[in-house]
Amino acid sequence: MGYLPNKLRFLLRPWAKGGVLLCASSMAIAQDAPGVLALDRQVDDAFRQVLKTPTNQETGLQYARLLVAVGNYEGGVAALERLLLNTDPPPTIRLELAVLYYRLGSYQMSEALLRQALDDTRLANEQRMMAQTLLRDVTARNQPSQLSGVVMLGVRRQSNPSARSDAAQVYAAGHLTSLAEGFKPRSDTDIQLTTRLDHRYDLGWQNEAVLTSSLVGQITDYQSSSGRQLRPNQEDPYDLAWVELATGVRFKPAAIALPSLQVRPYLVLAGLAAQKHNYLNSRGLGLNADYQINEKTLASVTYEYRSHHYANRVDVPAAEQLSGSNNNLRLQFNREIAPGHLISIELGLRHHQTGRAYYDYNSQELRLTYATSYLSPLPSITGAYWSSSLWAGVGKRNYDMANPDITTEVLRKDNDWRVGASLSIPISNNWSVVMQLEHVNVISNLPNYQSRNTSLMGAVAYNF
């Protein structure tokens, strides 16, 4: 869908929004220094210079930026606060300090410093725009009730949206037979309308409890599909409408002993309609835990149980056999390798149960994502910072029993390989253009399930 995962967007947002100044200065220091001189050595040298000339503002600022470059944000805060003790410090000091407080989640301190920096007439126009952008964000974060969201309208072209087999022959009742022409891969175009609303309400408790809720909906309309009529052995892709609601309380179970740990038990409800008829309903419970290892590293684990129920339809003749439950476990590790550059590793485990063993499977998925934010190559046309991501993943599914309708001699095993890239180009404070390219290759020991699909999507998104 072209989004970065929520945690990735949170970690990158300070650089993409208001933290441009400190990001650029820290990166410049790392690039300009001789390659043979490690950053920790630069920090030591800068500290000695601060001791020699404690009133030198440039020396102190360079020391603070080096501390940020090595990930010592609290040390950077202390170094910048010391500079505020100088007589009439420039407003850029307060701006950079506000960015650091933002990164550390101290939004009230960040807001106060931003307002002081904006009140100073010496603040340059470009820096003033950055401060105003960050102030809008941090002011919203300081409200007890916060609503944000995105609406995206896109067009997507796919080479094989129905994941049809690309084999010449497939199994049917234990025998290989030629694949019918109507079921061979066929490209299609669809229009997508996607909406996501996120609401946070600060409960004001000592454990920093926040009630968080999200509502996601998507409508997909394929060019080759129309009307409401349902029929067996559907050849064309389904027009889809999907909605999901998740709500729960995020809090710190041990705010003093483990201040970096947050957990969130939640409820989830979802529904899917196909060809304007109910297709699938699901509900479940989940538990998410985030642990901030340090300023640059976040580890997450999520367990979710869902029960799903398929509607009785002419095109779903064995609905009672398909209905069942899912147990999902996802582990994620996010690491900021440099300002504006993030690596994410995600491992997913799933146990899928239905009314028939030949529909049941266990799956494992590994996904690697690299996300970055950088200065626009077209600053006179688009927003200051673009963001992009690259990802690759592999998944494996092993089924519990052979399907007698296909063959009793082969137990199905699938391997999914996928690679993709996305680019988000801001064209104003709220509007952006999103592009995404992804290729999926399913390798199966049964020719019925081997397929390839390449998708290319372009969209416009409105963030609020």
Side-chain angles (χ1 to χ4, degrees):
M1 292 170 53
Y3 306 132
L4 290 175
N6 288 338
K7 297 179 182 63
L8 305 193
R9 292 203 303 273
F10 172 77
L11 289 172
L12 285 175
R13 184 179 296 151
W15 306 117
K17 294 271 189 180
V20 175
L21 180 64
L22 196 58
C23 172
S25 61
S26 299
M27 292 173 64
I29 290 174
Q31 292 170 355
D32 292 342
V36 296
L37 191 61
L39 274 176
D40 54 353
R41 174 69 179 277
Q42 295 181 56
V43 171
D44 292 340
D45 291 345
F47 179 66
R48 283 191 286 269
Q49 290 297 320
V50 169
L51 293 178
K52 291 179 181 179
T53 56
T55 60
N56 188 304
Q57 180 176 281
E58 290 301 319
T59 299
L61 187 57
Q62 184 183 34
Y63 175 57
R65 289 171 174 170
L66 280 167
L67 289 172
V68 173
V70 298
N72 186 355
Y73 299 126
E74 293 181 351
V77 165
L80 289 173
E81 286 183 335
R82 188 186 64 81
L83 294 177
L84 291 180
L85 299 177
N86 295 340
T87 303
D88 197 20
T92 54
I93 302 297
R94 287 189 170 86
L95 177 55
E96 297 199 18
L97 186 55
V99 172
L100 279 181
Y101 272 121
Y102 183 101
R103 295 231 36 180
L104 294 172
S106 299
Y107 301 125
Q108 292 182 344
M109 288 293 297
S110 180
E111 180 179 354
L113 288 163
L114 287 168
R115 294 190 183 280
Q116 293 174 19
L118 288 168
D119 288 340
D120 196 319
T121 58
R122 295 174 297 170
L123 191 65
N125 288 336
E126 182 180 359
Q127 297 166 348
R128 185 171 295 275
M129 291 177 60
M130 297 174 187
Q132 290 170 343
T133 300
L134 184 58
L135 181 61
R136 286 193 293 269
D137 184 276
V138 76
T139 301
R141 289 176 179 270
N142 282 327
Q143 300 299 317
S145 179
Q146 304 169 26
L147 178 66
S148 62
V150 61
V151 178
M152 185 172 71
L153 178 64
V155 178
R156 180 176 57 173
R157 181 69 176 177
Q158 297 186 82
S159 62
N160 185 15
S162 298
R164 296 174 175 178
S165 173
D166 55 15
Q169 292 184 313
V170 295
Y171 281 102
H175 301 285
L176 282 173
T177 183
S178 297
L179 183 64
E181 190 66 30
F183 291 96
K184 291 183 178 180
R186 187 168 60 194
S187 60
D188 208 341
T189 301
D190 66 86
I191 297 175
Q192 291 186 4
L193 176 62
T194 305
T195 301
R196 180 184 179 97
L197 297 176
D198 293 299
H199 183 261
R200 300 174 72 255
Y201 184 78
D202 190 345
L203 298 175
W205 300 348
Q206 293 297 318
N207 59 357
E208 301 183 22
V210 177
L211 176 64
T212 63
S213 303
S214 64
L215 178 66
V216 183
Q218 184 179 74
I219 298 174
T220 305
D221 183 24
Y222 282 94
Q223 184 181 34
S224 64
S225 182
S226 62
R228 296 171 51 93
Q229 184 176 359
L230 302 177
R231 56 184 181 272
N233 301 321
Q234 172 85 9
E235 295 181 7
D236 296 325
Y238 284 128
D239 288 338
L240 302 173
W242 170 67
V243 64
E244 179 175 293
L245 171 66
T247 183
V249 176
R250 182 177 299 278
F251 63 97
K252 293 184 176 183
I256 298 177
L258 289 173
S260 298
L261 175 65
Q262 289 187 324
V263 299
R264 177 182 179 246
Y266 61 91
L267 302 172
V268 60
L269 299 171
L272 176 66
Q275 296 304 112
K276 302 178 183 178
H277 294 272
N278 182 36
Y279 186 79
L280 171 68
N281 294 301
S282 70
R283 57 184 180 271
L285 301 169
L287 178 64
N288 167 256
D290 293 337
Y291 186 75
Q292 194 79 40
I293 298 174
N294 54 45
E295 291 89 346
K296 291 188 174 185
T297 309
L298 176 70
S300 302
V301 58
T302 301
Y303 169 75
E304 186 175 282
Y305 169 85
R306 289 201 193 195
S307 64
H308 50 271
H309 176 75
Y310 286 84
N312 289 301
R313 301 168 27 144
V314 66
D315 56 335
V316 190
E320 70 283 354
Q321 298 178 13
L322 294 173
S323 299
S325 63
N326 271 325
N327 287 274
N328 299 311
L329 179 65
R330 305 198 73 85
L331 309 173
Q332 190 171 20
F333 181 83
N334 302 316
R335 173 70 178 177
E336 187 184 46
I337 56 177
H341 297 265
L342 193 78
I343 290 289
S344 175
I345 301 174
E346 187 172 0
L347 174 65
L349 305 174
R350 173 180 293 186
H351 180 51
H352 181 76
Q353 292 179 297
T354 66
R356 291 292 183 271
Y358 48 79
Y359 292 136
D360 298 351
Y361 65 83
N362 289 294
S363 69
Q364 305 85 38
E365 179 187 4
L366 182 64
R367 183 181 177 106
L368 175 66
T369 302
Y370 166 70
T372 182
S373 180
Y374 48 90
L375 281 171
S376 167
L378 305 171
S380 61
I381 301 177
T382 64
Y385 269 67
W386 292 14
S387 59
S388 60
S389 61
L390 301 171
W391 63 87
V394 58
K396 182 179 181 180
R397 289 188 302 275
N398 292 327
Y399 286 78
D400 291 354
M401 180 179 173
N403 189 339
D405 294 333
I406 297 175
T407 177
T408 58
E409 298 179 356
V410 181
L411 192 64
R412 180 182 170 186
K413 297 180 180 180
D414 297 344
N415 292 306
D416 296 354
W417 297 85
R418 66 181 62 227
V419 292
S422 69
L423 174 65
S424 178
I425 304 173
I427 54 180
S428 71
N429 285 335
N430 300 103
W431 289 94
S432 60
V433 174
V434 179
M435 291 174 282
Q436 178 176 300
L437 175 66
E438 185 175 58
H439 177 74
V440 180
N441 185 14
V442 180
I443 302 173
S444 178
N445 62 340
L446 286 172
N448 303 53
Y449 302 106
Q450 67 181 46
S451 64
R452 293 181 177 87
N453 181 44
T454 301
S455 63
L456 176 63
M457 185 184 72
V460 291
Y462 179 78
N463 293 271
F464 58 92

